[in-house]
Amino acid sequence: MHLQIKQANIGYDKTLISNANAFLNLGDVCLLIGNNGVGKTTLIKSILHQNPLLDGEISINNKNVKNLSVKEIAENIAIVFSKAVIPQNYTVEDLISLGKYIYYPFYFELKKEDREEVSNIIEELDLVEYKNTPLKNLSDGNLQKAFIGRALTQNSPIIILDEPTTHLDEKNKIIILKTLRKLAKEQNKLILFSSHDWRLAKEFADKIWYIKNQELFSGIVEDVLLDHNELTNASLFQVNENFVAPSIISPEIQKEMLYSLLQKNFQKDLSLFQFKYNNTFWEISYKNEMHKCESFEEIINLISKLY
């Protein structure tokens, strides 16, 4: 195992994660998930030894991180935080080239092979048209991709990303995650990234680290998801205290849409209604009568008429 957490208590003045045990190997892609404030970023900072453990041990390649120098940690781990300082007057190419800094003196000129690597990463991240664009002129999404590019050029065996897809649209989110998975498998990198979206795990991750109730649950994606129902059940927000939901039989996405629609429009007890989705239309049962609606607008009009 390349990254190991052993009986670690993680936190600051108080423990956020207690008696954590987990490990990852080179080639693994791991998604770190949990609600706000549970300690995801604190865990990342503990791996970097920016936040000392309250107890226990974190090791990289069998070496305790507290015994590694800052340079040794940088050689082992490339990091992208969700909030990064933007270097003034730097272009995309300048920022991505900075990933080579740890291999050169402060003032340096990239070798030919390094420049080629930077160009390849710029192309892979779909940033070619922004190559010479000042960072201050980039969208949040492209700026995030540029910081990720810097981490890739660092060529460290471990890449850790704190909320890397927060500012990205679906297209760019997929570009980033496919690139990270490709790196893990083709170049034997260990990738650890945090997110609020557990659905990313099914498509891109091998392992999950899930923080809940001061515990760190870890394992194969499918095992952890099935052990925690709250990760797979669609959440239907109760924002209207006077609303009583009807029975809804449908796929989850249609169920979420209908629930939201009814809750927004009716502060009533709708428990006598039953909705069933039948491919292209809704079957609605109310007081032994059956109705058919082909759109949500028709549903609103029907309920307003009946109730």
Side-chain angles (χ1 to χ4, degrees), residues 128-147:
V128 174
E129 64 179 297
Y130 305 106
K131 177 179 177 180
N132 299 312
T133 301
L135 298 176
K136 60 185 178 182
N137 294 338
L138 292 177
S139 67
D140 286 343
N142 283 325
L143 180 62
Q144 182 75 332
K145 287 163 67 178
F147 275 106

Side-chain angles (χ1 to χ4, degrees), residues 26-227:
L26 294 176
D28 284 342
V29 180
C30 181
L31 173 64
L32 171 61
I33 55 175
N35 293 332
N36 285 334
V38 297
K40 298 190 299 296
T41 300
T42 306
L43 170 57
I44 289 173
K45 289 184 176 180
S46 297
I47 293 172
L48 297 168
H49 197 51
Q50 294 178 359
N51 180 66
L53 293 176
L54 301 176
D55 198 10
E57 179 181 324
I58 295 178
S59 61
I60 298 172
N61 201 19
N62 296 319
K63 296 179 181 177
N64 194 318
V65 295
K66 71 179 183 181
N67 297 325
L68 298 178
S69 66
V70 172
K71 186 174 187 297
E72 287 174 318
I73 289 176
E75 288 171 347
N76 279 281
I77 303 174
I79 179 72
V80 179
F81 283 114
S82 55
K83 296 180 181 179
V85 177
I86 302 173
Q88 291 296 313
N89 303 317
Y90 272 47
T91 66
V92 168
E93 185 177 36
D94 293 334
L95 178 64
I96 293 177
S97 298
L98 274 183
K100 294 297 180 187
Y101 171 72
I102 63 171
Y103 303 106
Y104 290 89
F106 183 74
Y107 295 101
F108 67 91
E109 183 176 345
L110 293 183
K111 296 177 182 177
K112 179 182 177 182
E113 56 267 31
D114 292 327
R115 290 197 299 271
E116 289 175 352
E117 183 181 348
V118 169
S119 294
N120 290 337
I121 288 173
I122 289 173
E123 184 174 350
E124 192 156 15
L125 293 176
D126 199 23
L127 288 172
V128 174
E129 64 179 297
Y130 305 106
K131 177 179 177 180
N132 299 312
T133 301
L135 298 176
K136 60 185 178 182
N137 294 338
L138 292 177
S139 67
D140 286 343
N142 283 325
L143 180 62
Q144 182 75 332
K145 287 163 67 178
F147 275 106
I148 290 170
R150 183 191 65 178
L152 300 184
T153 58
Q154 196 169 317
N155 284 336
S156 302
I158 300 173
I159 300 176
I160 298 178
L161 307 102
D162 189 14
E163 303 280 358
T165 60
T166 298
H167 302 297
L168 303 182
D169 56 27
E170 285 299 311
K171 176 186 174 184
N172 285 317
K173 187 181 293 187
I174 290 172
I175 287 173
I176 289 297
L177 295 174
K178 286 177 69 175
T179 299
L180 293 174
R181 186 161 183 84
K182 181 179 178 183
L183 271 171
K185 302 309 174 184
E186 294 185 1
Q187 298 186 26
N188 206 31
K189 304 282 189 182
L190 189 165
I191 309 289
L192 174 64
F193 70 101
S194 66
S195 174
H196 288 90
D197 190 351
W198 62 265
R199 296 171 301 174
L200 300 177
K202 295 199 286 75
E203 310 302 330
F204 298 101
D206 306 301
K207 307 280 182 63
I208 281 185
W209 286 2
Y210 176 36
I211 304 172
K212 182 181 72 170
N213 298 331
Q214 294 191 336
E215 288 189 63
L216 176 61
F217 299 92
S218 64
I220 296 292
V221 165
E222 290 73 15
D223 287 336
V224 175
L225 291 180
L226 290 176
D227 283 344

